[in-house]
Every structure is written in C-alpha cells, then in structure tokens.
Amino acid sequence: MDDYDIRSAASILASVKEQEARFERLTRALEEERRNVSLQLERASQPTDRMSICNIGNGQPLATAWQQLVLQEQSPSNQTSIAMMQEPQEMVEETVTVEEDPGTPTSHVSVVTSEDGTTRRTETKVTKMVKTVTTRTVRQVPLGPDVLPSMDGSSPMGSYTDSIDRRFLKNGERYVGPQAPSTLGRSYNSYNDSYPESHEGQYRPYLGHDGYGDLSDSYGTLPRGGGSTYRPRYAYVPGSAYRPDDGNFTLPRRRDNYAAVAQPQVPVGSSVDLNRSQPERFQPEPYGLEDDNRSLGVDDEGYELDPDNSTVNRRTSAGVPERGRPHKGSRGYDDAVESEMVEERIPYVPGGYAAPLAQPERGSMASIDRLGKRSPSIDSIRKDPRWRDPDLPEVIAMLSHPIDPVKSNAAAYLQHLCYENDKIKKDVRHLKGIPILVGLLDHPKAEVHRKACGALRNISYGKDNENKVAIRNCDGIPALIRLLRKTSDMEVRELITGTLWNLSSYEPLKMVIINHGLQTLTNEVIIPHSGWESEPDKDSKPRDAEWTTVFKNTSGCLRNVSSDGAEARRRLRECDGLVDALLHALQSAVGKKDTDNKSVENCVCIMRNLSYHVHKEVPGADKYQELEAGQPTGTGGSQKKKKDDAGCFGGKKAKGKKNGDLDRNFDTLDLPKRSEAAKGFELLYQPDVVRLYLSILTESQNFNTLEAAAGALQNLSAGNWTWSTYIRATVRKERGLPVLLELLQSNSDKVVRAVSIALRNLSMDRRNKDLIGSYAMGELVRNLPSRQQRSAKNLEEDTVVAVLNTIHEIITDSSENARSLIQTQGIQKLVAISKSSQSPRETKAASHILQMIWSYKELRNALQKDGWNKSHFQSVSAAPKGSKAPAGRPGYDDSTLPLVDKSQDNEKSGSRDMIPMDELGPDGYSTIDHRDKERKYKSSDRTGDASEKEPLKNDTNRKNINRSNRASVNLVDARDIKPQPVDSWV
Amino acid sequence: TALSCFISFSFQQRIEIHKLRQGDNLILGFSIGGGIDQDPTQNPFSEDKTDKGIYVTRVTEGGPAEVAGLQIGDKIMQVNGWDMTMVTHDQARKRLTKRNEEVVRLLVTRQSLQKAVQQSMMS
C-alpha cells in the first residue's frame, strides 16, 4: 500500500503541476469563458453558488478548456443542486426528503445516539455537509492552481499539464456529480467523452492497486490517516457515490488543490500521508458507470441517504480491512455513521478496481460508483512521491492568507481533514484554528464563509465537546446565526444548521443557542419551510411543509434544545410561530402520508417535549387546574373520580373558557369555547392535537416518531388540569384507544413503553379505565415475561415495569378490571415475576399489583379456585402496606405525576449525557430513561411508590361488561361513538 | 394541507358567497354535515359511505348560499383555500364563520343532484 500510495501521490502531484501550468496559460482565455459561464450560472438562478464558482474560476489561472468543461458541467449540477436546495419546490423536496429520511433519520441518530446519541446525529449531518463541499470542490480545483502558484511559487506546472487537464476534468466531473445526481451523470459522460482514453489508461492502473483501499479511507479513514494524504481520497469519494460523501469530495478537491500547492513545495518526504492521498487516478472507468447509476436516480438517493445510515453501514464489513481498520479506532462515535460509509466503500474496493468496468458484477450500483471514483484519485496521488501535503499548522495559517481563494481552500481542506478524525479536530482546536474559522463566517465572499462553515460543521461533530465549547467561546453561535440571517445560499444554510444541530447536542450550549438563535431559526427556517402562514392568503391554498435538509437540521437542533428543561421549554413555547409552524408541518405530513421521515420525527419530538408539564408550566395554567387535583389522597378521591367519569367532562371541570354544559356533550371539540382561535403554545394542548397524534400513530413506521407521538399523548393526558381532562376524553372519542392498543403489539420496546404509560395516564379517565381494562388487559399481560422466558418480545426492564404500573393503575378502583386481569391469566405471570424476577423493580411493581388484587375481597373466591392463596399476593419485596398509604400524594396525581417526575429526571440525565434528542425527548417526558439506568430505577421506584400509595378500594359498582381477554378493535366507548349527525347552520 | 380529492367522478365548482348580516351575526344561509369526527355512514349525500367530508345539508331559500348557487349535497372541498376534506365538523364550522371574513369562497364538488336526492330519500 505505501509504495503504491507514494507512487500515486507523486504522479498526482506531477499531474497537478502540469495542470497548473496549463491553467496559467489559459487564464486569460478562461476569464472570458468564465464570464460567459457566470452569466449562464446566474441565469440558472443561483446567484451565490454560481457567483462563487465564477469568482473562483476568474481568480484562478485555470486552463481554459478545463474551466469550460467544468463550468458547463458544473453549472448544470450546481443549478440543479442549487435549485433543489434553495427552492423548496417539489423536485427539491422529493430528492432531499428521500435522501435525508433514509440516511439521517432513525437508525443512526436515535439508536446509536442513545448513549453517544448526540454525536451520531451530528455525524449524519456531517456527511451531508461533505456533499456540499463537493460542489465547492469543483470550484476549488480551479482555485487550487491559482493558489498554489502563489503559495509555492515553485509549482512545476509544465510537466503536469496533460495529467492536470485530465484531473481537472475528472475532478470537476466527479465533484459536480456528487452534488447533483442528475448533473453528475452528465458531467461524467462528458468527461469520458473528451478524455476517456488518455485518462483511463493512466488512471486505471492506479485504481487497480490502491484505488479502492484509498477510497474507502477517504470516506472514513482519510481524516485519520493524514491531512495530506486524504485529499486524493476525497476526490474519489465525491464523485462516486454518496452525497454525504460530498464532504469527502470536497476534501479531495482541496487536496488536489493543496496537493498542487503543497506538493510542489514539499518533496516526497512525507510519504505516509501521500499514500492515502493518492486521489486523482480513479476517474477513468468508474465514472462512466457512476453516471449511469446516478442517472438512475435510485443510486443518488441511496447514496445520500444511505451514506449516513444504512447503506454505508451495511457495506462496512467488506471495506473495513483497508481503511476501516485504522479509522475505526479513531472514530469512536462517529464511527457508527462514518464507519458505515467507509465500510461500504471498502467492500467494493477489493474488486473495486475492476468494478468500474464491470458494473454488473458489483452488487450495488451505488457501491460501484463509489469505488470507482475513489480509487482513481488515490492512485494518482500515491504515485507521485515528490510532493507532500501541507501540515496542519500550514493549513491553519492559510486561513489567514490575504488571498481569499487560499482561505477557502484551506477551510475546505480542514473540513476534509477533520472528517471523522477526532485527533485532527482536537489539533485544530489547539492550534487556535477555530476562532479563525469562526471569523471567516463573516467574510463577505460566499466561498470563504461557506467553506469555513463546512469545516466548523465537521469540527463540531463528535463526542469531543471541547470542540463545541471552543466554537461557543469565540462567539461562534451568534456568528452562525448572523450568517444564517444574511445568506440565502441553501448549501450554506444547511451547513449552518447542521453545525448548530451538532452544537445543540451539548447540554451547556442549548440555552446559548436558544438565546441567540431560537427566533431566527424559527423565522428563517422553521416557519417558511413548514408552510405555515400566520396570515394565510384567503385565496391561496395552505402550503405544505418542505422536508428540506435545512428544515431537518433545524428541527433537529430545536429538538435537542427543547430537552434542556423548563426554561428551554418556556422559551420554545413562547417563540412566536414555532408551535404553530410545527403543528402545521405535522398536519401537512399527515395529509401527505409522509410521516416516516426525520423531520417529522424531530417535529414530533419537539412537540412532545413542549407538551411536557404544560399543565404546570404554561402561563395561566393555574386557572385550569381541576378542583379534584388538589384533593388529598384517600378514598374520597376515588369516588370523585368515578363521578367524573360518569361525565368525563363534568361541570366541575369547565373553568374559564370551558363551557360546562357543552362538556357533557359528546362533541368534545366544542368544549373549550374560545373567543378566538388558539395559537402559539395553546395549540399544544388543544384537543385538536389528539387527532394529529393519533394520525401519526396510525401512519408512521418510524419508531422514534411513534414513541414521541405516544409520549406527547402521555404528557398531555397527565396532570389534573382541565385540558388534560379534555385530552383524555378526546383520545377516546377520536377512537385513539384501539390505535394505542394496537401499538402495544409493536416490536419496538420504546414504543410499547410509551404507549403503556400513555394508557396509564389516560386511565385517569374513568371511562377510559373501563375500556382499557376490558380490551387492553390481555395485550398488556402479553407483554409481560412469562416464567421461562421474558416476553416474546424480550422487553427491557423499563418497559416491563411500565406495563406493570399501567396494569396497576387500571385495576386500581376497579375490581372489574382486576377480574379482567385474572381472566387473562395475568396472575400467573405476576406471581412469577414477583417471586423470581431478577429485577427488583419488576418484582416490586408486580407485587403491588398482586396486593391490589387481593384487596378485592370479592375476587378471592375466584382466585382460590384457581389455586392461588394469600401467600401469592403478599410479596416479600413489596413495600409494606403502611408505606403505601402514607404517601401524602393526591390520588390520581400520584399516578400521573410520578410518571412525569420520572421523565424529568430522565430528561435531565439525558441531557447531561448529551444524548441526542431522540433519546432525551422520549425519556424525559413520557418514558423511562433508556440511557441512565440508575435514573430509571429511581424513577421506577417512584412510580412503584406512587402506586403503592394509592389506597386499595373495592369498586363494586362497575357495570358488567364483557371482558374479553383480547383487546379488540372495539376499544371505543359506545357512548362516545355515537355518530350523532351534526348539522350546523353557518 | 393539500389533500387529494377522492371523488373522481364529480366536477368541482367555485362558489363565492357574500355573507348576510343578521343582527350581530354574519350568516351564509346553509348548514353543513360531516367531518372526520362524525359518522360518515349517516351522511345521506355521500356516495362513498366512508367519506368524512363536509357536505351541505340544507340551504336557506333566498339566502346568500342559494343566491350564490350552492346546493344541497355539495361537498365542500375548500373554504378560502383551506382544505375541508380532513377536518372535524367544528373546524369546518369555524372556518366558515370567521367574523372577519365577509366573503367566503368555496370549492365544492357536486355529484349528480339526482343521486344525492335518491340517497337522501333512502336515508
């Protein structure tokens, strides 16, 4: 490998120099061309990007021919990409969405994240960033030459000419391609046509040897390997497969540029890095193939998406060997995402070289593309051992270079170097590079602040919070927000919001982001992309949400900061238009049946978090507190409860806006009479949201989204204020109980847990309790572990405890429900748990239930018939009865509030852990903490206590109901269901 | 949000109704039925008995709605651009009765009147 690398590096360098020489000659001619191109680009409609490109081209002494080619090709790609990015139009949205959803969403962030969670999420973003870079790369290429000459002054351009042209072409093509799938294909084709033979001949050899390995490295490894080395790899990566890799692409470009610059300066001496960097030779064959793939569209999407999450990961194993190995060690968190990408690439590598040619053979189109592209560049670089890349201090020094293209190239190169390389990130920090990058955010030239932002995004990604703190300490957050307000360049906006998303994973920075950016993020991104209009045009149709990357990043950022406690929640709730826009976006998602993507997940998680403790934290909440809430514990409470149930909306309830009389009607929606439409945070707890959440629970396949939606209902149904009463009834009236019941069968542990706790809170409504006891008991029991094995699903302890607590709540004050539990064979499982569970929490919770059951004297005969006796219901582990009663908590509050408290604890813990939003959100509010088991235990204990405290009561006056063991779809209250045809005069 | 129209064989018509002031109220002169919170099987005007859309159930003679051409059985697709195919009954009512809107522009679909009449008689 080393030898190859060195050779390739040398060859690459040589070619670069040649190219540079050509560039100089052609500069003048190019300028004219550039003008033309720039005009074209402007027409295309994307001022910033194009402009920047043009500028670069102009500034640089690029070869005319090359530029032309690049520009043409680029322009299309740029245009497309720009269009997509900037405009929230259909095409853009679709593309983006697809990619984003798959890649970003679920798996990476949430799963991985849980403990490192934040990091992973960020990672995903990073990948995307890379893509962005790619676009730039094209530009950079031209710049590179310019810069280099100036820098070194010694550039040996003459010799390289031929190679250079090729490279550029290749580079340009490749780069372009990554950005815009469709465009890419074109570019490749064009290149192939023009350069095919010569390039291939040269490049192929390289590819065959090292190419693939290098390529793989570039994705994950490059950063690791060495600053200089990486460049080549990037080049490969970008063109080939993943958009996420774009970053990689960019890097390659940078490398190329640098290589040109640096290489001339430095003799081969720095061989090691060079190996890695051999970037340039890849192009020959692979491109053609790649193009095809891209054109297909599927590949493109796949790349974008997969790179982060799925695709990359899968492939990982194969590729790992070369690059993956080294990288893995260094990657740590990022690895999940990054490693995946790397691996994917790697697998191909082995066969990779050939692969480009023999596309069919390769398993996936995407993979092929990736391989091919990557490999070529690597090879070329390796071959030329004469040059070396600039070292890190040199690169950082270049950030302050008087020539803007140098700055931007240095920043781009830094981004490349930092990709998946925590060491480099740390070094950049120690070398004081971060303040310089932050300073460049205010640079007037788009190319400069864009690349600086790209570098910051990568630096901000990862578990090393010191980097995040360093960005904060030099006022990077306000600088990012400032730039967000200033720029309309979608690529830059993606980078900004991606960086903020990364930063938002670190607890101490959450309030900083809120203080500096909440309203700006809302106004600049959330509202416009949500489709919500504060004053909708009468004649225009309501707009749909646009699932752009910017929206995804921003919603991810807000999701993270929304878990920062009561003050953060207050700020978000009171942020003008935020809740309105989020709700609108979610309604749009439901309307379009597009509820699986990451943006929706983020939005639901924010809503869930903001719904937490609304009954305590919302301004004026005290006006809505139910009288009963305050009631002391004790039997009285239970009776009252019953009464309430009789009329869920009993007159007592209606305070303030409520209309007591109406409450009794089944038309729940009419209950809260308002003089004007609800807005802002009021929307969080209006009964209308129930339908939204139920729609999501019905439609979405995203477990994180399901959990969050269930958590939102859980939060809203907690507490004793008027609105929670409405919510609980509305869930029933909207036929939400069957929906929740069905989700009890989910294979996702956290969904089962969230739904279970939601059912517990909902059962504070007497009618709900009856229905849940009748129809859901069987499903709840099924989720409990049996003797030999844990439940079929093998649910986590937290989930089992949640289910147990829910059962306890359901049978409290309801001997009928207790009877239902007996009929579902629940006793057997409960006894088994209480006697033999390894988990003290489970044991305790089960014991409470058993004690409760035994307290229903009317059931004892039935129990004894089944062979049970008192000893089975007096668990050793269970807390003494005395302790139960004592707790001075109010009846229902206890059950509900404990849950909340738990969640709070969890929330806190989560945030500390810096877990990404996914985990935090869910845990915090509704569910038990996944992350922190200790905390969980605590919380669970509380729960248990709470249940214990509740007085056992015999509830005899329940009507006889057919209690089927199985939950049935009928889990709807007949009374509520009444389809009274309503006729309203208007 | 934009929701697709599920009725394939009906034509859409735009109707602009100028509200009539009655005392303190602005009235449109028709009544609506339906909504996603209502039992769609009881809607006498829908062809698809799972259609939870908002339908015109009555029209006041000589009222603003009749003057504007609204007919019994019309399905209201949009009100001033707002989708009405996936709303609750009350949401539709509220959308139609905004105090600050004196003009309401409806997008309606109308099945054959005959069919609507038959169905209403059957119910």
Side-chain angles (χ1 to χ4, degrees), chain A residues 533 536-544 584 587-592 667 669-670 672-674 677 688 691 695 734-735 977-986, chain B residues 1-3 27-34 36-39 42 57-60 78 80-83 88-91 93-94 96-98 100-103 105:
Chain A
E533 295 162 299
D537 183 344
K538 284 184 180 180
D539 297 328
S540 68
K541 216 173 175 182
R543 293 166 51 217
D544 275 324
H584 183 94
Q587 277 158 353
S588 171
V590 169
K592 290 193 295 185
D667 188 358
L669 296 175
D670 282 341
K673 290 294 183 185
R674 301 185 146 274
D688 307 44
R691 182 174 303 108
S695 297
E734 293 289 341
R735 295 160 216 210
I977 301 178
K978 290 185 185 176
Q980 2 157 311
V982 178
D983 225 27
S984 300
W985 280 100
V986 291
Chain B
T1 61
L3 295 175
I27 64 155
L28 287 159
F30 69 97
S31 70
I32 57 169
I36 56 178
D37 56 335
Q38 302 295 315
D39 178 4
Q42 300 198 20
T57 56
R58 287 174 286 179
V59 177
T60 303
Q78 292 179 15
N80 287 339
W82 291 86
D83 176 78
T88 64
H89 183 85
D90 205 50
Q91 287 170 336
R93 184 182 57 75
K94 287 174 178 171
L96 286 162
T97 57
K98 292 213 172 295
N100 58 352
E101 293 175 351
E102 298 196 350
V103 177
R105 294 180 182 84

Side-chain angles (χ1 to χ4, degrees), chain B residues 11-57:
Chain B
F11 66 92
Q12 298 197 339
Q13 182 173 341
R14 295 189 181 279
I15 294 177
E16 182 174 299
I17 305 175
H18 295 258
K19 292 182 182 176
L20 179 67
R21 182 168 294 281
Q22 269 192 353
D24 292 339
N25 299 322
L26 288 171
I27 64 155
L28 287 159
F30 69 97
S31 70
I32 57 169
I36 56 178
D37 56 335
Q38 302 295 315
D39 178 4
T41 63
Q42 300 198 20
N43 180 346
F45 304 105
S46 61
E47 184 137 336
D48 174 0
K49 288 308 173 192
T50 65
D51 181 2
K52 296 183 178 180
I54 302 295
Y55 281 76
V56 176
T57 56

Side-chain angles (χ1 to χ4, degrees), chain A residues 188-234:
Chain A
Y188 290 107
N189 293 333
S190 64
Y191 288 106
N192 294 339
D193 295 344
S194 59
Y195 301 87
E197 297 175 354
S198 64
H199 292 289
E200 293 179 354
Q202 296 175 348
Y203 294 98
R204 290 179 182 176
Y206 296 96
L207 295 174
H209 302 289
D210 298 334
Y212 292 106
D214 293 349
L215 294 177
S216 62
D217 291 346
S218 62
Y219 291 103
T221 312
L222 292 177
R224 306 168 183 173
S228 59
T229 309
Y230 298 105
R231 296 176 181 178
R233 298 174 183 176
Y234 289 106

Side-chain angles (χ1 to χ4, degrees), chain A residues 654-946:
Chain A
K655 288 188 176 183
K657 297 178 180 180
K658 289 186 182 177
N659 184 327
D661 294 340
L662 294 178
D663 289 357
R664 298 193 177 180
N665 293 339
F666 295 99
D667 188 358
T668 309
L669 296 175
D670 282 341
L671 296 178
K673 290 294 183 185
R674 301 185 146 274
S675 56
E676 54 187 30
K679 63 180 181 180
F681 63 79
E682 293 175 336
L683 294 168
L684 288 170
Y685 46 84
Q686 297 303 304
D688 307 44
V689 301
V690 168
R691 182 174 303 108
L692 173 66
Y693 291 132
L694 290 176
S695 297
I696 292 168
L697 288 171
T698 304
E699 298 283 340
S700 182
Q701 303 293 319
N702 180 331
F703 287 147
N704 293 323
T705 300
L706 290 174
E707 180 197 18
L713 288 178
Q714 172 190 333
N715 288 338
L716 293 173
S717 58
N720 283 289
W721 73 334
T722 303
W723 295 106
S724 63
T725 302
Y726 286 137
I727 294 289
R728 289 192 287 266
T730 303
V731 170
R732 177 178 70 254
K733 294 171 192 290
E734 293 289 341
R735 295 160 216 210
L737 295 179
V739 173
L740 293 169
L741 180 53
E742 184 172 342
L743 287 172
L744 279 180
Q745 304 169 17
S746 169
N747 290 322
S748 168
D749 200 273
K750 59 189 176 185
V751 172
V752 172
R753 181 165 49 228
V755 168
S756 176
I757 300 176
L759 287 173
R760 178 179 171 183
N761 284 349
L762 289 168
S763 68
M764 291 172 66
D765 178 301
R766 187 70 209 192
R767 184 167 304 285
N768 283 347
K769 177 177 283 190
D770 292 341
L771 289 166
I772 293 169
S774 299
Y775 297 108
M777 189 65 80
E779 199 57 51
L780 288 168
V781 169
R782 247 189 300 284
N783 276 306
L784 295 176
S786 60
R787 271 183 198 170
Q788 293 78 8
Q789 55 185 23
R790 302 192 56 85
S791 71
K793 294 185 225 172
N794 203 12
L795 298 174
E796 293 175 7
E797 175 189 49
D798 286 334
T799 307
V800 173
V801 171
V803 170
L804 290 170
N805 288 333
T806 300
I807 292 174
H808 184 275
E809 173 65 31
I810 294 170
I811 66 170
T812 299
D813 294 335
S814 173
S815 63
E816 276 305 315
N817 286 343
R819 192 183 303 279
S820 176
L821 175 60
I822 296 169
Q823 291 168 346
T824 55
Q825 314 303 320
I827 304 300
Q828 188 176 351
K829 283 189 174 182
L830 289 168
V831 169
I833 294 171
S834 71
K835 300 299 184 192
S836 59
S837 171
Q838 301 295 316
S839 159
R841 299 169 59 211
E842 293 178 5
T843 300
K844 191 173 182 180
S847 298
H848 292 323
I849 296 173
L850 292 171
Q851 291 175 13
M852 174 78 75
I853 292 171
W854 192 250
S855 72
Y856 292 113
K857 292 177 182 172
E858 66 269 31
L859 299 178
R860 289 182 185 171
N861 276 341
L863 291 170
Q864 286 165 343
K865 269 185 197 171
D866 290 345
W868 306 108
N869 60 53
K870 185 177 181 180
S871 66
H872 291 108
F873 298 89
Q874 292 178 331
S875 68
V876 179
S877 60
K881 287 186 177 182
S883 67
K884 297 178 180 180
R889 296 195 176 187
Y892 277 92
D893 278 355
D894 289 349
S895 60
T896 309
L897 296 177
L899 298 176
V900 177
D901 291 341
K902 297 175 181 179
S903 55
Q904 284 186 332
D905 293 348
N906 296 334
E907 181 185 14
K908 294 177 182 177
S909 65
S911 43
R912 295 172 189 171
D913 295 349
M914 296 185 63
I915 299 168
M917 0 219 17
D918 294 341
E919 292 185 357
L920 291 175
D923 295 348
Y925 301 110
S926 45
T927 321
I928 302 169
D929 287 355
H930 306 287
R931 303 173 181 176
D932 193 355
K933 297 206 171 184
E934 293 181 357
R935 295 176 185 175
K936 292 179 179 180
Y937 289 98
K938 290 181 181 178
S939 53
S940 64
D941 289 348
R942 291 185 185 178
T943 314
D945 293 348

Side-chain angles (χ1 to χ4, degrees), chain A residues 288-325:
Chain A
L289 298 176
E290 293 175 353
D291 293 349
D292 294 345
N293 295 333
R294 293 176 182 174
S295 63
L296 294 178
V298 177
D299 294 350
D300 293 345
E301 294 178 354
Y303 292 116
E304 295 177 356
L305 298 174
D306 295 347
D308 297 341
N309 303 319
S310 56
T311 310
V312 177
N313 297 338
R314 299 170 186 171
R315 298 175 180 177
T316 308
S317 60
V320 176
E322 296 177 353
R323 300 175 183 176
R325 298 170 184 173

Side-chain angles (χ1 to χ4, degrees), chain A residues 546-620:
Chain A
E546 303 158 352
W547 308 123
T548 58
T549 299
V550 173
F551 184 81
K552 180 183 64 187
N553 291 348
T554 304
S555 58
C557 174
L558 293 181
R559 171 182 171 181
N560 280 341
V561 302
S562 70
S563 68
D564 197 36
E567 176 64 9
R569 288 192 293 272
R570 185 184 69 79
R571 295 288 298 276
L572 265 66
R573 286 182 191 128
E574 296 176 2
C575 177
D576 283 345
L578 177 59
V579 174
D580 312 69
L582 292 174
L583 265 181
H584 183 94
L586 288 175
Q587 277 158 353
S588 171
V590 169
K592 290 193 295 185
K593 300 205 181 298
D594 182 13
T595 53
D596 296 340
N597 67 59
K598 185 68 174 183
S599 292
V600 168
E601 177 187 323
N602 288 338
C603 290
V604 178
C605 284
I606 297 171
M607 292 293 291
R608 189 251 331 270
N609 288 351
L610 298 186
S611 299
Y612 179 72
H613 274 187
V614 279
H615 60 285
K616 292 179 177 176
E617 298 175 357
V618 157

Side-chain angles (χ1 to χ4, degrees), chain A residues 91-221:
Chain A
M91 296 183 60
V92 176
E93 289 182 356
E94 292 178 357
T95 307
V96 176
T97 305
V98 175
E99 295 176 356
E100 292 175 356
D101 294 347
T104 314
T106 32
S107 35
H108 303 295
V109 178
S110 59
V111 177
V112 176
T113 308
S114 55
E115 296 175 356
D116 298 349
T118 309
T119 307
R120 294 181 179 179
R121 296 176 180 175
T122 307
E123 293 178 355
T124 304
K125 297 175 181 179
V126 175
T127 307
K128 296 175 180 179
M129 296 178 69
V130 176
K131 296 177 179 180
T132 306
V133 176
T134 306
T135 306
R136 298 172 183 175
T137 306
V138 176
R139 301 171 185 173
Q140 292 178 350
V141 175
L143 294 175
D146 295 345
V147 175
L148 294 173
S150 64
M151 299 286 294
D152 298 343
S154 63
S155 63
M157 312 190 84
S159 60
Y160 298 94
T161 311
D162 296 342
S163 62
I164 293 171
D165 292 347
R166 298 170 186 174
R167 291 180 181 177
F168 284 99
L169 294 173
K170 295 175 180 178
N171 292 339
E173 294 173 352
R174 294 174 182 175
Y175 294 105
V176 174
Q179 296 175 346
S182 62
T183 308
L184 292 177
R186 301 171 185 174
S187 63
Y188 290 107
N189 293 333
S190 64
Y191 288 106
N192 294 339
D193 295 344
S194 59
Y195 301 87
E197 297 175 354
S198 64
H199 292 289
E200 293 179 354
Q202 296 175 348
Y203 294 98
R204 290 179 182 176
Y206 296 96
L207 295 174
H209 302 289
D210 298 334
Y212 292 106
D214 293 349
L215 294 177
S216 62
D217 291 346
S218 62
Y219 291 103
T221 312

